């Protein structure tokens, strides 16, 4: 989802040639393959969006894959890029790097200030390692490896797997099916009370290019002295219940909903403090209502061959 949004954004820019590989062509968890790729291609900038990612259930169910795959991808790409002489790299993390009970909204300085949310701790630890990789290579080798921490993302090409995806694609699919089958109610996981912030993926791609293109001094003056990371979000959140109501409206479903409290809520709230990225001249432009409309339209157009990764 993120990779294809970045390609859409970058391919539209003048004087940019996008070099991309599918995961079938290049397995980023394999060090030799990654080294060969960087040695054989002339790459100037790297957007490291590739990751093993998923919703609350997948994180809980496959902790080994979430920590191993992400550590391998980050370690292999950052090191091979450095060895091949790449000067600029942008690593994409996640807002789940912050402690479960972090002060809201969460500023960049909340990193490593407390205990992580248990449902995604392995993934979060891998993403924190990615930030530290970029900081360390920049400090020791003088390269310009930056990091951004996006809030929860959604949009076209999302993973619509009913169990393993994130809340928006899962609920769009479920409310759509309920409408088609004229079901009296839809099940929503958890209590409906957790608060989440959602960023449309094309907004994220725009922010990534913005951060990559900030001047060296502008970026270093903005982040802390360890050359750390920048939050990317919209600055407002809503409850899962409010989200479900909005999704029902987007889909045109008029039945009821039931909350399944046997399913985990996860972090109570994770709203990003986006004052730093605002001060650097970027803010999101696609509202949740508009983003949901676009995602649902895409879902309807691609219903037959939609991605539903296990
Ligand atoms: O999107 P989601 O899986 O991500 O869940 P997290 C968000 C909230 O929506 C949770 C509730 O409180 C879920 O219980 N929810 C309600 C649902 N219905 C559903 C549903 O049908 N499917 C899903 N998936 N959730 C992930 C992390 O956490 O967020 C990752 O596990 C990553 O590491 C990602 O950081 C951005 O925000 O809870």
């Amino acid at each position: 989802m993120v990779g294809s949004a970045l390609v859409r954004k970058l391919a539209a820019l003048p004087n940019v040639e996008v070099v991309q590989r599918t995961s079938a062509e290049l397995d980023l968890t394999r060090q030799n393959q990654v080294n060969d790729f960087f040695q054989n291609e002339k790459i100037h900038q790297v957007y490291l969006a590739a990751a093993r990612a998923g919703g609350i259930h997948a994180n809980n169910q496959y902790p080994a894959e979430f920590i191993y795959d992400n550590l391998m991808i980050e370690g292999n790409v950052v090191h091979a890029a450095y060895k091949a002489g790449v000067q600029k790299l942008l690593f994409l993390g996640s807002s789940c790097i912050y402690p479960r009970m972090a002060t809201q909204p969460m500023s960049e300085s909340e990193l490593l200030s407390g205990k992580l949310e248990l449902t995604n701790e392995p993934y979060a630890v891998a993403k924190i390692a990615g930030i530290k990789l970029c900081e360390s290579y920049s400090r020791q080798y003088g390269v310009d490896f930056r990091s951004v921490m996006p809030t929860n993302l959604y949009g076209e090409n999302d993973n619509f797997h009913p169990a393993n995806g994130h809340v928006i694609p899962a609920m769009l699919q479920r409310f759509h099916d309920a409408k088609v089958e004229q079901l009296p109610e839809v099940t929503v996981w958890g209590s409906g009370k957790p608060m989440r912030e959602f960023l449309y993926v094309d907004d994220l791609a725009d922010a990534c290019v913005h951060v990559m293109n900030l001047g060296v001094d502008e970026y270093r003056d903005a982040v802390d002295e360890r050359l750390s990371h920048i939050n990317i979000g919209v600055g407002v959140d809503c409850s899962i219940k409010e989200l479900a109501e909005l999704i029902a409206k987007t889909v045109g479903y008029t039945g009821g909903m039931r909350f399944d409290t046997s399913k985990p809520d996860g972090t109570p709230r994770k709203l990003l403090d986006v004052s730093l990225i605002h001060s650097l001249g970027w803010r999101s432009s696609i509202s949740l209502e508009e983003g949901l409309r676009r995602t649902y339209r895409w879902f309807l157009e691609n219903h037959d061959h939609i991605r539903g990764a296990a």
Side-chain angles (χ1 to χ4, degrees), residues 39-50:
Q39 291 301 329
N40 293 333
E41 295 285 343
K42 194 105 200 79
I43 310 275
H44 293 112
Q45 296 185 344
V46 176
Y47 288 85
L48 180 42

Side-chain angles (χ1 to χ4, degrees), residues 54-57 59-60 66 94-97 119-120 123-124 150-153 162-168 170-171 174 187-192 194 196 198 240 243 263-267 270:
I56 192 166
H57 172 79
N59 270 266
N60 231 352
F66 274 77
S94 162
S95 61
C96 69
I97 58 156
T119 53
N120 57 36
Y123 177 75
T151 192
N152 285 33
L153 302 169
N164 293 334
H166 288 98
V167 60
I168 288 183
M171 290 209 302
R174 207 173 306 136
T187 302
V188 176
W189 293 1
S191 65
R196 291 291 185 274
F198 297 101
I240 295 301
L243 174 72
K263 293 283 196 300
D265 270 346
T267 312
K270 46 176 169 177

Side-chain angles (χ1 to χ4, degrees), residues 96-100 114-122 124-125 128:
C96 69
I97 58 156
Y98 294 116
R100 175 181 162 83
K115 291 198 165 132
L116 297 165
E117 155 65 24
L118 285 179
T119 53
N120 57 36
E121 190 186 56
V125 166
I128 293 169

Side-chain angles (χ1 to χ4, degrees), residues 7 35 38 43 72 101 111 113 118 186 239 262 269 275 309:
V7 170
N35 283 341
F38 277 99
I43 310 275
M72 290 301 112
M101 299 315 281
L111 181 63
S113 64
L118 285 179
V186 172
S239 71
S262 71
R269 193 177 190 199
S275 47

